[in-house]
Amino acid sequence: MGLDLGDLVTKLGKATSDYQSVVSINLFVALLCACIVIGHLLEENRWMNESITALLIGLCSGVVILLTTQGKSSHVLVFSEDLFFIYLLPPIIFNAGFQVKKKQFFRNFMTIVLFGAVGTLISFVIISLGAIGLFNKLDIGALEIGDYLAIGAIFSATDSVCTLQVLNQEETPLLYSLVFGEGVVNDATSVVLFNAIQNFDLVHTDALVLLKFVGNFLYLFATSTFLGAFAGLLSAYIIKKLYFGRHSTDREVALMILMAYLSYMLAELLDLSGILTVFFCGIVMSHYTWHNVTESSRITTKHAFATLSFIAEIFLFLYVGMDALDIEKWKFVSNSPGKSISLSAILLGLVLVGRAAFVFPLSLLSNLSKKSPNEKITFRQQVIIWWAGLMRGAVSIALAYNKFTRSGHTQQPSNAIMITSTITVVLFSTMVFGLLTKPLIRFLLPRRHLTRDLSMNSDPPSPKSFLASLLENEQGSGEGTGQNITRPTSLRMLLTAPARSVHHYWRKFDDAIMRPVFGGRGFVPVVPGSPTEATSNAWH
């Protein structure tokens, strides 16, 4: 027995001390540090952003590794869709929901769903039909109808990470909420579309199959949202009732992080949309749970979530940049580089057309329902929305690997060409379109437009934005007596909706039922030692 145990320990020691693994981890951590430092130095640069910086560092590192191994290294770093979807994406999406300005997001919710769901479907149809019509002329190999539809779903997924680094939600709240919200719903829609294509019988397609497809999407959207909200409310209720902060603020922070991650993994387990689930979990946690924890836990969670998201974003783009130089895939296309370039150009063209086909018509449709000129999407803003969504990112790469590789390896030339073309489109769109985005926004939205937009539409800057409730009226010392509250001018100008709007009824429901049960600002239990004790006593 002792011998067997010793052998086991020896094997584990060898596995954990593998020299190559240690070298790879050291290299990657050092590159992450370099990305942060260089990104900081380039903060004021009008062209660069951290996504492009990380991609360039990843590419340069890949070139150096290839040169040092004399081109023998067939895998600089293997891209794993499991690593992406299980570890990197959840903190990014959760932090987006946790820090989003909820007032703007829900104010434009119908427009966001219009762009993110309907727009993605339009783009999916155009890219799929374009691929069917144009790819046959290139003779890249045998592709089935499911492959073409999968291509449509893969290239309908915009990069919701990179585009948000371009806009500032303080300066352009309407634009930020539209681009941000569309990015989240778009990613969820693209993943749901992709999974539905994998599961449906595409040979025998009829009206009934299409109805089932639409019904399945609506079911996934609703159940994923409900699961995220439920997880957020459950965490709020537990922390409010047990008040962990009396003994350990670490437990509060740990519970919030773990319950948010649990909601994402549970959604994946149930074949729902983890993206939507963890996003709405973040929104609900910021509205209820965050107000139930101690002051130190509030500061800790705010920075912990932002830091995890930041590291995941940098890791992601560095990862993609290094994996773009995987020798195995490029060997298949080395004999016909023209096909790969032509395929990438066609895909880029379809992305441009597919995006324009829904942004401008749906913006016009959205404007017809808006009464106030300040709520309408101007033509300049429409151009920015169209441009910001042209970038493709890790979601596209992850879906492409899922479709066109087996166990991380390409086995057919046609699959290798699709993988390399996807990587080419992602790199080109992120770097070229990303480089031009800052100057484009500065050209289309001069500072005078930004200043006016900020004064009329923005919420208070962070951390005040965390204290604003979902679609709230500002609450002061007179909770529940909204008629006597004096609001800042910017908020009075923001809340131009009719007195009996959906916002009004939600606020009444929230104040009367939700916050007394689940907590929130002004509804925190009075507990000895609570940092909110003085505030709570002021209500009585």
Side-chain angles (χ1 to χ4, degrees):
M1 181 67 183
L3 183 61
D4 294 340
L5 182 60
D7 291 341
L8 178 62
V9 171
T10 302
K11 290 180 180 179
L12 288 174
K14 289 182 179 178
T16 54
S17 62
D18 181 75
Y19 181 76
Q20 293 298 329
S21 298
V22 174
V23 170
S24 299
I25 292 172
N26 273 279
L27 174 63
F28 213 84
V29 173
L31 289 173
L32 285 172
C33 294
C35 289
I36 293 172
V37 173
I38 296 173
H40 171 73
L41 295 175
L42 296 175
E43 182 71 27
E44 302 301 324
N45 189 284
R46 63 174 295 187
W47 300 97
M48 299 293 289
N49 60 48
E50 281 169 334
S51 301
I52 299 172
T53 303
L55 269 176
L56 287 174
I57 291 176
L59 284 169
C60 293
S61 303
V63 170
V64 171
I65 292 172
L66 283 175
L67 291 175
T68 55
T69 59
Q70 298 179 344
K72 294 179 181 178
S73 177
S74 61
H75 290 92
V76 177
L77 193 66
V78 180
F79 187 91
S80 167
E81 62 267 20
D82 289 337
L83 175 66
F84 170 68
F85 281 112
I86 294 177
Y87 300 110
L88 297 181
L89 192 60
I92 295 172
I93 300 298
F94 175 80
N95 185 63
F98 193 78
Q99 302 209 33
V100 67
K101 290 186 178 297
K102 295 174 285 292
K103 197 176 302 177
Q104 277 291 327
F105 179 81
F106 284 97
R107 217 175 195 4
N108 301 298
F109 187 71
M110 292 309 298
T111 304
I112 287 169
V113 172
L114 197 64
F115 282 166
V118 179
T120 302
L121 290 172
I122 294 173
S123 178
F124 161 74
V125 170
I126 290 176
I127 293 174
S128 298
L129 293 177
I132 292 172
L134 297 174
F135 281 17
N136 289 332
K137 299 178 180 179
L138 294 177
D139 188 28
I140 61 172
L143 292 176
E144 300 176 353
I145 183 66
D147 297 326
Y148 289 115
L149 294 179
I151 289 168
I154 289 168
F155 289 96
S156 295
T158 61
D159 184 3
S160 60
V161 177
C162 186
T163 55
L164 296 179
Q165 295 179 352
V166 176
L167 296 173
N168 185 310
Q169 64 176 330
E170 306 294 346
E171 295 181 341
T172 55
L174 174 63
L175 262 181
Y176 186 94
S177 67
L178 291 177
V179 172
F180 161 77
E182 185 213 340
V184 175
V185 179
N186 165 274
D187 284 347
T189 304
S190 299
V191 173
V192 170
L193 266 174
F194 183 84
N195 291 334
I197 290 164
Q198 303 290 87
N199 298 329
F200 273 83
D201 180 11
L202 300 170
V203 179
H204 306 92
T205 305
D206 54 22
L208 184 60
V209 172
L210 292 176
L211 284 176
K212 285 183 179 179
F213 182 84
V214 173
N216 184 50
F217 172 76
L218 295 176
Y219 165 78
L220 287 174
F221 191 97
T223 51
S224 301
T225 302
F226 173 80
L227 179 59
F230 176 78
L233 290 174
L234 181 61
S235 69
Y237 187 79
I238 292 173
I239 290 177
K240 178 176 180 288
K241 287 297 181 183
L242 300 182
Y243 198 75
F244 288 82
R246 282 178 297 183
H247 305 297
S248 171
T249 58
D250 296 339
R251 291 173 185 166
E252 292 181 321
V253 177
L255 188 65
M256 289 181 69
I257 294 174
L258 291 174
M259 288 202 69
Y261 190 67
L262 178 63
S263 71
Y264 180 88
M265 294 309 298
L266 188 58
E268 294 296 313
L269 180 66
L270 299 174
D271 291 326
L272 303 176
S273 172
I275 295 174
L276 281 176
T277 296
V278 78
F279 172 69
F280 280 100
C281 180
I283 289 179
V284 172
M285 276 193 176
S286 71
H287 182 51
Y288 297 108
T289 314
W290 192 79
H291 295 282
N292 295 341
V293 300
T294 61
E295 197 66 37
S296 58
S297 293
R298 295 183 192 182
I299 297 171
T300 302
T301 51
K302 170 190 169 185
H303 292 292
F305 295 148
T307 301
L308 288 173
S309 174
F310 175 75
I311 293 174
E313 289 178 21
I314 300 300
F315 188 101
L316 192 57
F317 284 100
L318 184 62
Y319 198 63
V320 170
M322 293 183 73
D323 187 67
L325 297 172
D326 180 9
I327 290 295
E328 181 182 278
K329 295 185 289 289
W330 293 102
K331 282 181 179 177
F332 281 105
V333 300
S334 59
N335 295 329
S336 55
K339 285 185 181 179
S340 182
I341 294 173
S342 301
L343 198 66
S344 301
I346 290 172
L347 288 170
L348 273 171
L350 291 174
V351 166
L352 291 166
V353 174
R355 182 108 187 128
F358 76 83
V359 168
F360 298 107
L362 294 185
S363 295
L364 178 63
L365 184 63
S366 175
N367 287 342
L368 293 176
S369 64
K370 306 290 185 181
K371 295 181 180 180
S372 171
N374 295 327
E375 296 178 343
K376 294 186 176 182
I377 309 170
T378 65
F379 179 73
R380 291 187 176 205
Q381 291 173 331
Q382 293 174 33
V383 172
I384 292 174
I385 293 170
W386 169 74
W387 181 268
L390 293 178
M391 286 167 268
R392 296 295 177 265
V395 174
S396 295
I397 289 185
L399 294 179
Y401 271 68
N402 184 281
K403 178 65 180 177
F404 297 108
T405 66
R406 298 293 180 271
S407 302
H409 300 279
T410 50
Q411 297 179 344
Q412 297 178 4
S414 59
N415 289 352
I417 289 177
M418 286 309 308
I419 293 291
T420 55
S421 298
T422 303
I423 291 173
T424 302
V425 170
V426 168
L427 291 179
F428 182 87
S429 62
T430 301
M431 295 177 67
V432 176
F433 296 157
L435 283 170
L436 296 175
T437 301
K438 279 185 182 179
L440 180 71
I441 290 178
R442 291 180 181 179
F443 173 75
L444 292 175
L445 294 179
R447 296 300 302 180
R448 57 188 178 86
H449 288 93
L450 296 181
T451 304
R452 182 180 62 193
D453 200 21
L454 176 61
S455 66
M456 300 184 71
N457 292 303
S458 68
D459 291 339
S462 296
K464 295 286 188 181
S465 57
F466 292 103
L467 300 176
S469 62
L470 264 169
L471 312 174
E472 65 164 337
N473 56 354
E474 281 293 299
Q475 295 161 325
S477 59
E479 178 73 11
T481 57
Q483 293 87 348
N484 299 324
I485 296 173
T486 303
R487 299 186 180 91
T489 303
S490 60
L491 290 175
R492 188 185 301 117
M493 298 179 73
L494 173 63
L495 301 174
T496 55
R500 293 296 182 265
S501 65
V502 175
H503 298 193
H504 170 82
Y505 292 111
W506 162 254
R507 287 195 298 264
K508 292 186 66 175
F509 173 75
D510 193 31
D511 290 348
I513 297 176
M514 297 299 289
R515 288 199 286 177
V517 175
F518 298 104
R521 190 175 61 168
F523 291 86
V524 181
V526 181
V527 179
S530 167
T532 55
E533 182 176 2
T535 307
S536 300
N537 288 332
W539 297 101
H540 304 286

PDB file of all heavy atoms in Angstrom, residues 195-212:
ATOM      1  N   ASN A 195     -26.056  26.562 -31.374  1.00  0.00           N
ATOM      2  CA  ASN A 195     -26.444  25.303 -30.736  1.00  0.00           C
ATOM      3  C   ASN A 195     -27.704  24.722 -31.362  1.00  0.00           C
ATOM      4  O   ASN A 195     -27.830  23.499 -31.509  1.00  0.00           O
ATOM      5  CB  ASN A 195     -26.650  25.517 -29.232  1.00  0.00           C
ATOM      6  CG  ASN A 195     -25.356  25.812 -28.508  1.00  0.00           C
ATOM      7  OD1 ASN A 195     -24.284  25.415 -28.950  1.00  0.00           O
ATOM      8  ND2 ASN A 195     -25.443  26.527 -27.404  1.00  0.00           N
ATOM      9  N   ALA A 196     -28.644  25.594 -31.733  1.00  0.00           N
ATOM     10  CA  ALA A 196     -29.882  25.119 -32.354  1.00  0.00           C
ATOM     11  C   ALA A 196     -29.585  24.476 -33.710  1.00  0.00           C
ATOM     12  O   ALA A 196     -30.179  23.451 -34.066  1.00  0.00           O
ATOM     13  CB  ALA A 196     -30.866  26.276 -32.514  1.00  0.00           C
ATOM     14  N   ILE A 197     -28.657  25.069 -34.460  1.00  0.00           N
ATOM     15  CA  ILE A 197     -28.282  24.514 -35.772  1.00  0.00           C
ATOM     16  C   ILE A 197     -27.651  23.134 -35.603  1.00  0.00           C
ATOM     17  O   ILE A 197     -27.890  22.224 -36.407  1.00  0.00           O
ATOM     18  CB  ILE A 197     -27.308  25.475 -36.486  1.00  0.00           C
ATOM     19  CG1 ILE A 197     -28.046  26.749 -36.910  1.00  0.00           C
ATOM     20  CG2 ILE A 197     -26.680  24.813 -37.707  1.00  0.00           C
ATOM     21  CD1 ILE A 197     -27.132  27.882 -37.270  1.00  0.00           C
ATOM     22  N   GLN A 198     -26.858  22.990 -34.532  1.00  0.00           N
ATOM     23  CA  GLN A 198     -26.212  21.703 -34.286  1.00  0.00           C
ATOM     24  C   GLN A 198     -27.235  20.613 -33.941  1.00  0.00           C
ATOM     25  O   GLN A 198     -27.030  19.440 -34.241  1.00  0.00           O
ATOM     26  CB  GLN A 198     -25.212  21.818 -33.126  1.00  0.00           C
ATOM     27  CG  GLN A 198     -24.132  22.873 -33.328  1.00  0.00           C
ATOM     28  CD  GLN A 198     -23.136  22.494 -34.394  1.00  0.00           C
ATOM     29  OE1 GLN A 198     -23.344  22.758 -35.567  1.00  0.00           O
ATOM     30  NE2 GLN A 198     -22.043  21.875 -33.995  1.00  0.00           N
ATOM     31  N   ASN A 199     -28.338  21.008 -33.323  1.00  0.00           N
ATOM     32  CA  ASN A 199     -29.302  20.032 -32.812  1.00  0.00           C
ATOM     33  C   ASN A 199     -30.476  19.749 -33.750  1.00  0.00           C
ATOM     34  O   ASN A 199     -31.100  18.694 -33.645  1.00  0.00           O
ATOM     35  CB  ASN A 199     -29.854  20.498 -31.456  1.00  0.00           C
ATOM     36  CG  ASN A 199     -28.764  20.615 -30.403  1.00  0.00           C
ATOM     37  OD1 ASN A 199     -27.789  19.874 -30.428  1.00  0.00           O
ATOM     38  ND2 ASN A 199     -28.916  21.564 -29.480  1.00  0.00           N
ATOM     39  N   PHE A 200     -30.797  20.701 -34.644  1.00  0.00           N
ATOM     40  CA  PHE A 200     -31.983  20.536 -35.488  1.00  0.00           C
ATOM     41  C   PHE A 200     -31.668  19.712 -36.735  1.00  0.00           C
ATOM     42  O   PHE A 200     -30.548  19.726 -37.246  1.00  0.00           O
ATOM     43  CB  PHE A 200     -32.542  21.908 -35.896  1.00  0.00           C
ATOM     44  CG  PHE A 200     -33.508  22.482 -34.904  1.00  0.00           C
ATOM     45  CD1 PHE A 200     -33.060  23.171 -33.797  1.00  0.00           C
ATOM     46  CD2 PHE A 200     -34.883  22.310 -35.057  1.00  0.00           C
ATOM     47  CE1 PHE A 200     -33.936  23.700 -32.870  1.00  0.00           C
ATOM     48  CE2 PHE A 200     -35.777  22.832 -34.140  1.00  0.00           C
ATOM     49  CZ  PHE A 200     -35.308  23.522 -33.043  1.00  0.00           C
ATOM     50  N   ASP A 201     -32.705  19.026 -37.240  1.00  0.00           N
ATOM     51  CA  ASP A 201     -32.600  18.280 -38.501  1.00  0.00           C
ATOM     52  C   ASP A 201     -32.793  19.268 -39.645  1.00  0.00           C
ATOM     53  O   ASP A 201     -33.911  19.691 -39.942  1.00  0.00           O
ATOM     54  CB  ASP A 201     -33.667  17.188 -38.553  1.00  0.00           C
ATOM     55  CG  ASP A 201     -33.589  16.378 -39.846  1.00  0.00           C
ATOM     56  OD1 ASP A 201     -32.587  16.533 -40.569  1.00  0.00           O
ATOM     57  OD2 ASP A 201     -34.525  15.607 -40.123  1.00  0.00           O
ATOM     58  N   LEU A 202     -31.667  19.654 -40.271  1.00  0.00           N
ATOM     59  CA  LEU A 202     -31.713  20.699 -41.292  1.00  0.00           C
ATOM     60  C   LEU A 202     -32.051  20.156 -42.676  1.00  0.00           C
ATOM     61  O   LEU A 202     -32.248  20.922 -43.612  1.00  0.00           O
ATOM     62  CB  LEU A 202     -30.360  21.427 -41.337  1.00  0.00           C
ATOM     63  CG  LEU A 202     -29.962  22.111 -40.022  1.00  0.00           C
ATOM     64  CD1 LEU A 202     -28.521  22.573 -40.085  1.00  0.00           C
ATOM     65  CD2 LEU A 202     -30.893  23.277 -39.724  1.00  0.00           C
ATOM     66  N   VAL A 203     -32.096  18.833 -42.802  1.00  0.00           N
ATOM     67  CA  VAL A 203     -32.423  18.242 -44.105  1.00  0.00           C
ATOM     68  C   VAL A 203     -33.918  18.346 -44.376  1.00  0.00           C
ATOM     69  O   VAL A 203     -34.349  18.642 -45.486  1.00  0.00           O
ATOM     70  CB  VAL A 203     -31.960  16.771 -44.156  1.00  0.00           C
ATOM     71  CG1 VAL A 203     -32.334  16.153 -45.500  1.00  0.00           C
ATOM     72  CG2 VAL A 203     -30.458  16.672 -43.918  1.00  0.00           C
ATOM     73  N   HIS A 204     -34.709  18.126 -43.347  1.00  0.00           N
ATOM     74  CA  HIS A 204     -36.167  18.182 -43.498  1.00  0.00           C
ATOM     75  C   HIS A 204     -36.688  19.427 -42.781  1.00  0.00           C
ATOM     76  O   HIS A 204     -37.213  19.360 -41.665  1.00  0.00           O
ATOM     77  CB  HIS A 204     -36.814  16.929 -42.921  1.00  0.00           C
ATOM     78  CG  HIS A 204     -36.243  15.659 -43.482  1.00  0.00           C
ATOM     79  ND1 HIS A 204     -35.199  14.985 -42.893  1.00  0.00           N
ATOM     80  CD2 HIS A 204     -36.576  14.945 -44.596  1.00  0.00           C
ATOM     81  CE1 HIS A 204     -34.901  13.916 -43.606  1.00  0.00           C
ATOM     82  NE2 HIS A 204     -35.722  13.862 -44.649  1.00  0.00           N
ATOM     83  N   THR A 205     -36.483  20.578 -43.418  1.00  0.00           N
ATOM     84  CA  THR A 205     -36.899  21.846 -42.818  1.00  0.00           C
ATOM     85  C   THR A 205     -38.254  22.260 -43.360  1.00  0.00           C
ATOM     86  O   THR A 205     -38.479  22.283 -44.566  1.00  0.00           O
ATOM     87  CB  THR A 205     -35.861  22.950 -43.134  1.00  0.00           C
ATOM     88  OG1 THR A 205     -34.583  22.515 -42.696  1.00  0.00           O
ATOM     89  CG2 THR A 205     -36.224  24.239 -42.438  1.00  0.00           C
ATOM     90  N   ASP A 206     -39.165  22.601 -42.448  1.00  0.00           N
ATOM     91  CA  ASP A 206     -40.474  23.106 -42.848  1.00  0.00           C
ATOM     92  C   ASP A 206     -40.913  24.174 -41.860  1.00  0.00           C
ATOM     93  O   ASP A 206     -40.152  24.584 -40.971  1.00  0.00           O
ATOM     94  CB  ASP A 206     -41.499  21.970 -42.922  1.00  0.00           C
ATOM     95  CG  ASP A 206     -41.571  21.164 -41.628  1.00  0.00           C
ATOM     96  OD1 ASP A 206     -41.174  21.708 -40.572  1.00  0.00           O
ATOM     97  OD2 ASP A 206     -42.009  19.996 -41.657  1.00  0.00           O
ATOM     98  N   ALA A 207     -42.148  24.656 -42.025  1.00  0.00           N
ATOM     99  CA  ALA A 207     -42.647  25.731 -41.178  1.00  0.00           C
ATOM    100  C   ALA A 207     -42.689  25.320 -39.713  1.00  0.00           C
ATOM    101  O   ALA A 207     -42.408  26.136 -38.811  1.00  0.00           O
ATOM    102  CB  ALA A 207     -44.048  26.147 -41.648  1.00  0.00           C
ATOM    103  N   LEU A 208     -43.003  24.065 -39.447  1.00  0.00           N
ATOM    104  CA  LEU A 208     -43.077  23.583 -38.072  1.00  0.00           C
ATOM    105  C   LEU A 208     -41.709  23.631 -37.398  1.00  0.00           C
ATOM    106  O   LEU A 208     -41.590  24.022 -36.222  1.00  0.00           O
ATOM    107  CB  LEU A 208     -43.630  22.160 -38.050  1.00  0.00           C
ATOM    108  CG  LEU A 208     -43.856  21.542 -36.659  1.00  0.00           C
ATOM    109  CD1 LEU A 208     -44.861  22.384 -35.879  1.00  0.00           C
ATOM    110  CD2 LEU A 208     -44.333  20.097 -36.781  1.00  0.00           C
ATOM    111  N   VAL A 209     -40.663  23.253 -38.142  1.00  0.00           N
ATOM    112  CA  VAL A 209     -39.310  23.302 -37.601  1.00  0.00           C
ATOM    113  C   VAL A 209     -38.908  24.738 -37.281  1.00  0.00           C
ATOM    114  O   VAL A 209     -38.300  25.020 -36.240  1.00  0.00           O
ATOM    115  CB  VAL A 209     -38.303  22.672 -38.589  1.00  0.00           C
ATOM    116  CG1 VAL A 209     -36.865  22.894 -38.123  1.00  0.00           C
ATOM    117  CG2 VAL A 209     -38.579  21.180 -38.747  1.00  0.00           C
ATOM    118  N   LEU A 210     -39.266  25.669 -38.167  1.00  0.00           N
ATOM    119  CA  LEU A 210     -38.952  27.081 -37.933  1.00  0.00           C
ATOM    120  C   LEU A 210     -39.682  27.619 -36.705  1.00  0.00           C
ATOM    121  O   LEU A 210     -39.116  28.379 -35.914  1.00  0.00           O
ATOM    122  CB  LEU A 210     -39.319  27.911 -39.168  1.00  0.00           C
ATOM    123  CG  LEU A 210     -38.474  27.656 -40.425  1.00  0.00           C
ATOM    124  CD1 LEU A 210     -38.995  28.475 -41.596  1.00  0.00           C
ATOM    125  CD2 LEU A 210     -37.012  27.994 -40.168  1.00  0.00           C
ATOM    126  N   LEU A 211     -40.952  27.221 -36.545  1.00  0.00           N
ATOM    127  CA  LEU A 211     -41.708  27.644 -35.364  1.00  0.00           C
ATOM    128  C   LEU A 211     -41.080  27.091 -34.089  1.00  0.00           C
ATOM    129  O   LEU A 211     -40.986  27.787 -33.074  1.00  0.00           O
ATOM    130  CB  LEU A 211     -43.163  27.189 -35.479  1.00  0.00           C
ATOM    131  CG  LEU A 211     -44.054  27.986 -36.443  1.00  0.00           C
ATOM    132  CD1 LEU A 211     -45.437  27.362 -36.538  1.00  0.00           C
ATOM    133  CD2 LEU A 211     -44.160  29.444 -35.971  1.00  0.00           C
ATOM    134  N   LYS A 212     -40.646  25.834 -34.142  1.00  0.00           N
ATOM    135  CA  LYS A 212     -39.975  25.231 -32.989  1.00  0.00           C
ATOM    136  C   LYS A 212     -38.677  25.977 -32.677  1.00  0.00           C
ATOM    137  O   LYS A 212     -38.330  26.179 -31.505  1.00  0.00           O
ATOM    138  CB  LYS A 212     -39.663  23.759 -33.270  1.00  0.00           C
ATOM    139  CG  LYS A 212     -40.873  22.841 -33.204  1.00  0.00           C
ATOM    140  CD  LYS A 212     -40.450  21.386 -33.430  1.00  0.00           C
ATOM    141  CE  LYS A 212     -41.645  20.450 -33.337  1.00  0.00           C
ATOM    142  NZ  LYS A 212     -41.251  19.034 -33.579  1.00  0.00           N
TER     143      LYS A 212
END
